[in-house]
Amino acid sequence: MIELRNVGLKYGDKEILKNVSLTVRDNTIKAILGPSGVGKSTILKLMLGLIKPNKGQVIVDGTDITNMKEASLYSIRRKMGMVFQGNALFDSLTISQNLGFFLRENMKLPEEEIERRVEEQIQFAGLEGYEDQLPESLSGGMRRRVAIGRALIFKPHMILFDEPTAGLDPVSSKKILSLISSLRHNNNLGAVIVTHIIDDVFNVADCVAVLYQGEIIFDDVTEKLHNAQHPFIRSILSDKILEL
Amino acid sequence: MLLTFVRNREKAIALWLKDFILTMQEFFLFSVRTFISFPKVKRYWRDVLDQATICGTDSIPIVLVSAISIGSLLAIEVGNLLEDFGAKTMLGRSTSLSVIRELGPLLMGLMLSARFGSRNGAELGAMQISEQIDALRAFGTDPVAKLVMPRLVAALIMFLPLTALSDYAGLQSAAYMAEHYHRLDPGIFWNAVYPRLAPKDFVVGFLKAPVFAIIITLVSSFNGFSARGGTAGVGRSTIKGIVVSSGLVLIANFYVSKIVLENM
Ligand SMILES: Nc1ncnc2c1ncn2[C@@H]1O[C@H](COP(=O)(O)OP(=O)(O)O)[C@@H](O)[C@H]1O
Ligand SMILES: [Mg+2]
């Protein structure tokens, strides 16, 4: 479980998050919906302890990580997998090497076990035949699937997606969304999906929080989003995509 | 009018100063983190080897070119000067001192700052803006230990043989020019080189190698890690890294010489 309690964050003089409280439970898929530049990626980075809030607390599985030292954060982070907005694959490594990279780095597993897990992710993500290619030679949708595989290979119990369908064509988007839905049934995994595309929310999320001007203006199960009264939510329900 | 101008100026300077001090503090912490990750060198040995190839082997041509040109130029110019005083037999001594103590290491430092420093700045900057550095942290790997420490270890190891190579090539080309341009007997040239060189001359030259390695690697890597704002941001931070590390190389060159020559 991940909790943000009254979190505020500034970049320089710019206040990005004013007072954000959020809970992400295990075994559920939670979406955070908001326009570009509102601070969605920032929230994910806070959850991983990559950046520190100016006020409030970040709590992961009951541990307050707000002021934790980088060295102690590493073990907390390994419980979570992160899929970055631009994938953040290592461009000098092949697909298999990218998938196995952090297992080799941070887990003392025997090499056969690592290879078995890499093979498993290759199959799950439908990347057979691309094992020895570099990320640059893959399509956007495939690269996203590699990034998802790299996060899943750890067997985390929470996975964070930063705009999983942004920049993908409709077919690839659908593939990614069904991949994400399948996680819920297979792996007993919780997920946070940050997005500015409302269809993503209705497709995969159990519950959704809407972030607008530094504050959470809605936080409930997805079905109730239709009945929300806030003018911003009304306008996005009619427009579908948030281009602000 | 003038008053508001002065006030704004003051504010701008105060802001700049605050920024500068914060950056210095970050740079200091970054350097400390690099040095305390040295115990992980065994784990990242492969990265050290890769970097050693990049900053060592691949830098040989540029180091040779700069050493040969500085050696030949010195021999020609100093030879002309000494000829006026009828002291051409001293040519070996004066060129070897300049090459080994000052110009050899300095030019090599500037060349490596351009070559190794720009590569570090651009590579790490690109990794920063494409979130690869965040990805390392997010999955539990210390990016400083994985990316910066191996670069520093490689530079510390490789800059020494590069300095030796640079000295050798510089002296050989000076000797060549002495013989073919100034018609000086090689025996006379080398006689004025070897017996006169003191240990401190080598200490000055070779102490500069690790000092430059630390300056160039840390400054360029720090700037790469601080890259923000897309492709243009990588360009800006790379340039900043080269300018700052070249400046610091010039300053360090002066102080290492001063301190060692005064104390030995
Ligand atoms: N390191 C940073 N320094 C300064 N401003 C930043 C930084 N990172 C993000 N921002 C700014 O914070 C705001 C929120 O960024 P982000 O969380 O990436 O938004 P989103 O993911 O919702 O599009 C943006 O306006 C962005 O320009
Ligand atoms: Mg974002």
Side-chain angles (χ1 to χ4, degrees), chain A residues 11 14 16 35-42 85, chain B residues 228:
Chain A
Y11 283 127
K14 213 166 86 184
I16 308 293
S36 293
V38 73
K40 302 183 299 296
S41 302
T42 302
Q85 193 164 349
Chain B
R228 295 282 180 279

Side-chain angles (χ1 to χ4, degrees), chain B residues 11-24:
Chain B
K11 250 191 217 159
I13 290 173
L15 213 67
W16 180 87
L17 207 69
K18 190 178 146 202
D19 227 44
F20 178 77
I21 292 171
L22 279 178
T23 311
M24 280 296 117

Side-chain angles (χ1 to χ4, degrees), chain B residues 62-84:
Chain B
I62 192 130
V63 167
L64 279 181
V65 168
S66 58
I68 289 171
S69 59
I70 203 74
S72 328
L73 266 177
L74 268 177
I76 293 174
E77 290 297 331
V78 175
N80 286 338
L81 210 69
L82 290 175
E83 197 160 29
D84 293 344

Side-chain angles (χ1 to χ4, degrees), chain A residues 83-91 95 98-99 125-127 130 133-151 164 167-168 172 176 179:
Chain A
V83 180
F84 284 87
Q85 193 164 349
N87 302 320
L89 299 174
F90 300 114
D91 35 29
I95 300 310
N98 261 290
L99 287 170
L127 291 162
Y130 293 93
Q133 306 260 354
L134 291 176
E136 61 181 12
S137 58
L138 268 60
S139 71
M142 284 165 144
R143 281 203 289 261
R144 185 62 44 85
R145 279 181 274 151
V146 177
I148 295 175
R150 183 175 73 177
L168 298 184
S172 307
I176 298 291
L179 206 73

Side-chain angles (χ1 to χ4, degrees), chain A residues 50 70 77-78 105-106, chain B residues 43-44 137 139-142:
Chain A
L50 293 176
E70 183 84 5
R77 290 182 188 147
R78 285 175 207 150
E105 262 306 291
N106 297 327
Chain B
R43 180 157 159 210
Y44 293 116
R137 292 176 62 207
F139 287 100
T141 292
D142 177 4

Side-chain angles (χ1 to χ4, degrees), chain A residues 70 74, chain B residues 28-38 137 142-145 149 225:
Chain A
E70 183 84 5
Y74 289 138
Chain B
F28 177 74
L29 290 176
F30 181 84
S31 310
V32 170
R33 276 168 60 202
T34 308
F35 282 107
I36 60 178
S37 57
F38 264 53
R137 292 176 62 207
D142 177 4
V144 170
M149 184 272 290
F225 269 55

